[in-house]
Amino acid sequence: MSMGGVSLPLFFFFLATISATSHGFSMDIPHQIHLLRPKAGSRNNEVPGLSCLSWRLGVETNNVIGWATVPEKCAGYVGHYMLGQQYRMDSEVVANEAILYAQSLKLAGDGKNIWVFDIDETSLSNLPYYAKNGFGVKPYNPTLFNEWVNTGKAPPLPESLKLYKKLLLLGIKIVFLTGRPEDQRNVTEANLKHAGFDTWEKLILKGSSHSGETAVVYKSSERKKLEMKGYRIIGNIGDQWSDLLGTNAGNRTFKLPDPMYYIG
């Protein structure tokens, strides 16, 4: 049977689709701790979580900048995201794309191809610290954070460790470029090795000569020095846009998710 050229089964399927949409699409997702599907509300009936999802999108696309703390009402959202599966899946997408890119390259075997890695929230994860300190809702406390760094117990970000190992197999050398101060070199070296990052070409920490410089200026300067020494930066990965912007950023950059803090 048909109705004006539309088959009856197709018509009923269309009605069922409209009905499901108008009542709010629902899926049984076990252990859901993260906003996995779009939600919308009328003008007078705001749906909790919608603004936090949009805020995180703005952060990750570098449209929301210069913020000091995570909005208080987004504390639960950011915490669930960082501890949940979605953060890992988002990080995995970035790492896998970086691997595919690296595998596609025809590299000169002269030992000058390098990949720049940031450290905090790129190579090493400070989630144990942030889980106890509000996931970025509280203002940054350098004393408490440095106490955590000096324990040397930061775990690796698994997806970045996977990328690191793949790059080494391809003959690409690793340069760690971090905003950590020079006096944290020993603990950073030990932490990296304990986390599985056991070899590198260079580990660059922020010396006193860069005091007062923004992360963009400091990291651009250090990358320029690497290229002046004959290195080719074929890749660059970080959790902050300030890891990737500026000059001498490399042939291709990869941005990992991090809605917990902003470094300009």
Side-chain angles (χ1 to χ4, degrees):
M1 183 182 294
S2 64
M3 297 179 63
V6 179
S7 67
L8 191 58
L10 181 60
F11 176 73
F12 282 119
F13 174 77
F14 179 68
L15 285 179
T17 302
I18 293 176
S19 177
T21 304
S22 64
H23 287 85
F25 182 67
S26 177
M27 295 175 60
D28 292 327
I29 303 176
H31 311 299
Q32 182 180 353
I33 62 172
H34 172 66
L35 188 63
L36 296 177
R37 58 184 185 272
K39 294 184 179 180
S42 68
R43 181 172 55 187
N44 298 319
N45 186 24
E46 181 179 341
V47 175
L50 177 64
S51 62
C52 294
L53 175 61
S54 299
W55 177 82
R56 185 173 70 84
L57 175 63
V59 166
E60 299 299 357
T61 53
N62 203 34
N63 290 314
V64 177
I65 62 174
W67 49 280
T69 61
V70 171
E72 188 173 354
K73 68 178 181 179
C74 296
Y77 172 82
V78 172
H80 287 155
Y81 172 75
M82 294 302 299
L83 295 178
Q85 187 179 15
Q86 192 66 44
Y87 171 58
R88 295 290 304 278
M89 291 192 298
D90 291 350
S91 299
E92 185 174 22
V93 167
V94 178
N96 285 345
E97 284 298 312
I99 290 170
L100 289 174
Y101 160 69
Q103 290 173 333
S104 73
L105 300 175
K106 295 181 179 180
L107 301 173
D110 58 1
K112 291 295 185 179
N113 296 306
I114 61 172
W115 195 292
V116 176
F117 276 70
D118 174 52
I119 291 183
D120 293 298
E121 271 56 67
T122 299
S123 306
L124 300 178
S125 171
N126 297 302
L127 268 177
Y129 168 81
Y130 283 104
K132 294 180 179 180
N133 290 275
F135 295 103
V137 173
K138 298 179 181 179
Y140 173 66
N141 186 318
T143 300
L144 291 179
F145 183 73
N146 287 328
E147 286 178 358
W148 155 252
V149 168
N150 288 329
T151 68
K153 295 181 179 180
L157 186 66
E159 294 73 24
S160 295
L161 184 58
K162 174 184 175 182
L163 170 62
Y164 165 88
K165 292 180 177 180
K166 290 286 187 180
L167 294 175
L168 290 179
L169 289 175
L170 292 171
I172 300 169
K173 295 182 177 180
I174 307 301
V175 171
F176 290 108
L177 175 56
T178 177
R180 290 186 176 191
E182 186 64 43
D183 61 11
Q184 290 180 340
R185 176 174 294 276
N186 290 342
V187 70
T188 300
E189 287 183 349
N191 198 159
L192 284 169
K193 290 179 179 179
H194 185 261
F197 300 94
D198 48 15
T199 185
W200 52 80
E201 180 74 359
K202 291 182 180 293
L203 170 58
I204 303 171
L205 293 93
K206 192 173 184 179
S208 58
S209 62
H210 293 289
S211 178
E213 292 181 351
T214 66
V216 172
V217 171
Y218 154 62
K219 292 197 170 187
S220 295
S221 173
E222 291 299 325
R223 292 192 301 259
K224 182 177 181 180
K225 291 177 185 177
L226 290 168
E227 292 190 335
M228 290 177 65
K229 292 178 181 178
Y231 289 109
R232 291 181 293 273
I233 304 175
I234 60 171
N236 181 4
I237 186 167
D239 67 297
Q240 299 289 317
W241 281 101
S242 54
D243 299 326
L244 312 174
L245 297 176
T247 65
N248 310 88
N251 293 353
R252 188 169 173 186
T253 61
F254 295 86
K255 170 69 171 67
L256 287 164
D258 182 4
M260 295 189 297
Y261 58 85
Y262 175 87
I263 299 175

